[in-house]
């Protein structure tokens, strides 16, 4: 039966070819021209029929150019359209699409509507006629260009010029322009590294375009992103300005004052005159919500006293232990000297883990000064090594490292503190030696920080 049907179809197509064919040429392949010879004729219809009954394999080209009613199937209906095209029978539009179904715009805006994807793909007349339901709200021209005039809703309808009963429509909502915009705050104070998302009130409330263009008067102090989120980077003041983007040019502004981070204060005095490392660890832990006191933190840092052997002083590696007794001064019977960032990082992590974790102690020693300040801009208070009140040390502490026998010395007056902020000219520190918040010249601090090996430790929340 299949062979009989195929043979009959072939005879019909041959006869139609002899009767009439229309030659259509184009620089690009035409829909219906599945053999891509520039002609839409019975040969194309035969190929489509052969594919539809399984006598020929389909190809991507046939799927694209042969499915003329775009129903996803290659069948006799597509072949019939090709035959009608080849003999000049008019082919009417059966369906089409618009580039949108609804749109919200502001008064004065224009919208370009487009009709496309006409079915069948060999339809002769793909023109449409446009009509607005309310010309006082919006008009539409013959090319589908909509112009809006006042707030309201309007339906724009496209009708096939070939088959007027085939229609598609778009609902266009014309919203009012912004008459005013108000910021929740016109002045704010932010700690370095913190953020604030500016909340706005628009009048009228139903405006379509609430997008703003944001700028900062000083991006080194505070930045603002496209959503109006302000980030505090450096101590100082900056003005953040937002401008409406609907053409009304309404503006809001906010004065941003950036301050150093506020660190819970812990003093090393009077019990631990050389325990600045432990006190600084306590402060940074409290900043992140951990409960800790000086006795607990001192106990968490391993330590060992200096001892004399063959007339020489020996002691542990300062990177592995606190050297001496933090309860002593340099001149005490059991003096305290200090600990460097590797052992402080490890001890800090141990304390965090004992209290539930959630943070990682990170040694940032060796980073550049710019990178150090960058950590502060990102909201990380940093445990740093410098000298007491940035004084220039004239003496050194020294001993032989017992594990290696190497002679070790470092500046006397070394001090550990929290770096909590900076401006263009100063740094803000929190000094645990009963001094509280201190401000120093940024260049002098950088020099003292370099002198102590560019050491730093931060806590980073685990993600």
């Amino acid at each position: 039966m299949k062979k009989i049907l195929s043979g009959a179809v072939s005879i019909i197509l041959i006869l139609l070819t002899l009767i009439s064919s229309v030659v259509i040429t184009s620089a690009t392949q035409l829909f219906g021209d599945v053999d891509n010879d520039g002609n839409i004729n019975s040969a194309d219809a035969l190929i489509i029929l052969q594919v539809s009954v399984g006598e020929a394999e389909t190809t991507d080209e046939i799927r694209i150019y042969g499915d003329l009613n775009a129903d996803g199937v290659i069948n006799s209906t597509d072949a019939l359209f090709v035959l009608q095209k080849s003999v000049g029978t008019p082919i009417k539009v059966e369906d089409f699409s618009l580039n949108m179904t609804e749109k919200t715009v502001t008064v004065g805006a224009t919208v370009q509507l487009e009709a496309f994807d006409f079915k069948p793909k060999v339809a002769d007349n793909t023109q449409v006629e446009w009509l607005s339901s309310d010309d006082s709200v919006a008009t539409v021209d013959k090319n589908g260009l909509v112009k809006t005039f006042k707030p309201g809703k309007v339906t724009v309808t496209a009708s096939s010029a070939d088959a007027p009963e085939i229609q598609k429509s778009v609902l266009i909502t014309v919203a009012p322009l912004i008459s005013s915009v108000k910021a929740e705050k016109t002045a704010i104070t932010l700690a370095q590294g913190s953020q604030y998302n500016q909340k706005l009130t628009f009048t009228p409330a139903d405006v379509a375009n609430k997008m703003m263009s944001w700028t900062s008067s000083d991006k080194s102090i505070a930045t603002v992103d496209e959503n109006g989120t302000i980030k505090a980077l450096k101590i100082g003041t900056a003005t953040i300005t937002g401008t409406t983007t609907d053409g009304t040019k309404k503006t809001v502004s906010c004065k941003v004052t950036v301050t150093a981070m506020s660190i819970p204060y812990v003093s090393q005095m009077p019990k631990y005159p050389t325990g600045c490392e432990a006190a600084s660890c306590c402060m940074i832990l409290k900043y992140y919500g951990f409960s800790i006191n000086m006795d607990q933190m001192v106990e968490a840092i391993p330590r060992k006293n200096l001892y004399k052997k063959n007339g020489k002083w020996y002691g542990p590696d300062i990177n592995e232990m606190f050297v001496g007794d933090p309860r002593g001064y340099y001149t005490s019977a059991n003096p305290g000297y200090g600990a460097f960032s590797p052992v402080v990082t490890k001890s800090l992590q141990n304390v965090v883990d004992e209290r539930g974790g959630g943070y990682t102690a990170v040694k940032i020693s060796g980073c550049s000064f710019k990178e150090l300040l960058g950590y502060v801009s990102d909201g990380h208070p940093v445990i740093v090594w410098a000298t007491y009140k940035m004084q220039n040390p004239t003496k050194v502490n020294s001993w032989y490292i017992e594990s290696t026998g190497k002679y070790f010395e470092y500046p006397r007056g070394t001090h550990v503190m929290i770096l909590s902020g900076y401006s263009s000219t100063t740094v803000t520190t929190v000094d645990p030696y009963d001094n509280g918040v201190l401000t120093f010249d940024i260049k002098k601090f950088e020099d003292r920080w370099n002198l102590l090996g560019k050491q730093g430790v931060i806590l980073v929340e685990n993600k």
Side-chain angles (χ1 to χ4, degrees):
M1 183 67 182
K2 185 177 180 181
K3 290 184 178 179
I4 294 173
L5 176 60
S6 176
V9 169
S10 299
I11 293 170
I12 293 172
L13 291 176
I14 291 170
L15 290 173
L16 285 170
T17 303
L18 293 174
I19 294 171
S20 176
S21 77
V22 175
V23 177
I24 301 176
T25 60
S26 174
T28 57
Q29 188 169 351
L30 302 171
F31 287 107
D33 181 17
V34 293
D35 60 8
N36 197 19
D37 65 352
N39 303 319
I40 298 176
N41 53 32
S42 57
D44 300 302
L46 177 59
I47 292 171
I48 292 173
L49 280 174
Q50 287 174 329
V51 168
S52 71
V53 297
E55 287 193 350
E57 291 186 3
T58 187
T59 64
D60 289 340
E61 196 167 55
I62 293 172
R63 291 189 188 94
I64 295 171
Y65 295 98
D67 185 13
L68 300 181
N69 61 352
D71 63 356
V73 180
I74 302 296
N75 54 29
S76 58
T77 301
D78 301 308
L80 180 59
F81 282 131
V82 171
L83 287 173
Q84 289 174 327
K85 191 75 173 179
S86 71
V87 299
T89 301
I91 302 176
K92 287 192 172 185
V93 171
E94 295 181 357
D95 196 11
F96 67 92
S97 301
L98 295 181
N99 60 330
M100 62 187 73
T101 57
E102 59 181 310
K103 183 79 171 180
T104 299
V105 294
T106 55
V107 173
T110 60
V111 181
Q112 182 62 63
L113 301 181
E114 295 177 3
F116 70 105
D117 194 22
F118 287 86
K119 300 170 186 176
K121 295 180 180 178
V122 288
D124 291 297
N125 187 352
T126 57
Q127 299 298 310
V128 296
E129 295 178 353
W130 300 93
L131 180 67
S132 169
S133 63
D134 189 342
D135 284 344
S136 69
V137 176
T139 60
V140 59
D141 68 12
K142 63 179 182 179
N143 299 313
L145 181 64
V146 178
K147 295 182 179 180
T148 62
F149 300 102
K150 71 177 186 180
K153 293 181 182 293
V154 64
T155 299
V156 177
T157 302
S159 303
S160 168
D162 194 34
E165 70 277 8
I166 308 297
Q167 297 180 341
K168 301 290 178 178
S169 62
V170 178
L171 176 63
I172 295 179
T173 301
V174 184
L177 293 171
I178 296 170
S179 61
S180 68
V181 58
K182 183 180 180 181
E184 181 183 39
K185 294 183 179 180
T186 57
I188 56 173
T189 298
L190 298 177
Q192 256 181 294
S194 63
Q195 295 185 354
Y196 172 75
N197 190 36
Q198 185 71 282
K199 295 178 177 60
L200 304 176
T201 301
F202 293 89
T203 303
D206 61 341
V207 295
N209 182 0
K210 295 183 179 181
M211 296 296 293
M212 302 286 288
S213 174
W214 294 97
T215 60
S216 170
S217 64
D218 192 334
K219 293 180 180 179
S220 71
I221 292 174
T223 59
V224 59
D225 67 14
E226 66 275 10
N227 299 313
T229 300
I230 301 167
K231 183 176 181 180
L233 300 180
K234 185 172 71 176
I235 294 172
T237 59
T239 299
I240 302 299
T241 303
T243 305
T244 58
T245 61
D246 66 344
T248 57
K249 303 293 184 182
K250 306 294 183 182
T251 63
V252 292
S253 64
C254 179
K255 181 181 179 182
V256 180
T257 301
V258 180
T259 65
M261 289 172 273
S262 179
I263 310 297
Y265 189 68
V266 175
S267 175
Q268 67 194 83
M269 299 299 287
K271 189 174 182 179
Y272 299 104
T274 52
C276 52
E277 295 89 349
S280 295
C281 285
C282 283
M283 287 193 282
I284 201 170
L285 286 165
K286 287 179 178 293
Y287 179 81
Y288 289 106
F290 292 97
S291 177
I292 186 79
N293 61 43
M294 274 294 290
D295 292 338
Q296 292 168 331
M297 194 64 230
V298 167
E299 186 66 26
I301 302 175
R303 62 185 176 89
K304 187 175 183 180
N305 289 339
L306 293 181
Y307 59 91
K308 206 166 189 179
K309 180 181 177 182
N310 298 325
K312 296 179 181 179
W313 286 102
Y314 286 85
D317 187 334
I318 198 170
N319 292 292
E320 298 175 357
M321 286 187 172
F322 184 96
V323 180
D325 188 337
R327 293 170 295 183
Y329 292 87
Y330 290 146
T331 57
S332 300
N334 288 314
Y337 290 98
F340 279 176
S341 58
V343 65
V344 170
T345 304
K346 185 176 180 179
S347 301
L348 187 61
Q349 187 65 61
N350 290 338
V351 171
V352 168
D353 292 342
E354 289 171 357
R355 285 159 172 76
Y359 288 81
T360 299
V362 179
K363 179 172 69 70
I364 62 170
S365 301
C367 70
S368 68
F369 191 63
K370 181 178 179 181
E371 289 171 327
L372 175 68
L373 299 182
Y375 287 113
V376 179
S377 290
D378 285 336
H380 297 292
V382 187
I383 301 174
V384 289
W385 278 250
T387 61
Y388 182 71
K389 292 190 175 180
M390 304 304 128
Q391 294 173 359
N392 186 26
T394 57
K395 296 182 180 181
V396 297
N397 296 316
S398 61
W399 62 88
Y400 288 90
I401 299 174
E402 58 186 356
S403 60
T404 64
K406 291 183 178 180
Y407 183 70
F408 174 77
E409 63 180 21
Y410 77 107
R412 177 167 289 192
T414 293
H415 195 38
V416 180
M417 65 208 75
I418 300 293
L419 176 62
S420 62
Y422 71 94
S423 69
S424 298
T425 58
T426 63
V427 295
T428 300
T429 65
V430 187
D431 185 340
Y433 199 82
D434 262 358
N435 291 311
V437 177
L438 297 177
T439 300
F440 299 102
D441 175 80
I442 194 168
K443 293 296 184 183
K444 182 173 285 189
F445 172 81
E446 181 182 5
D447 178 73
R448 302 302 185 258
W449 180 71
N450 286 333
L451 181 67
L452 268 296
K454 301 181 177 181
Q455 296 190 74
V457 179
I458 61 174
L459 276 181
V460 177
E461 186 174 10
N462 299 336
K463 301 298 184 182

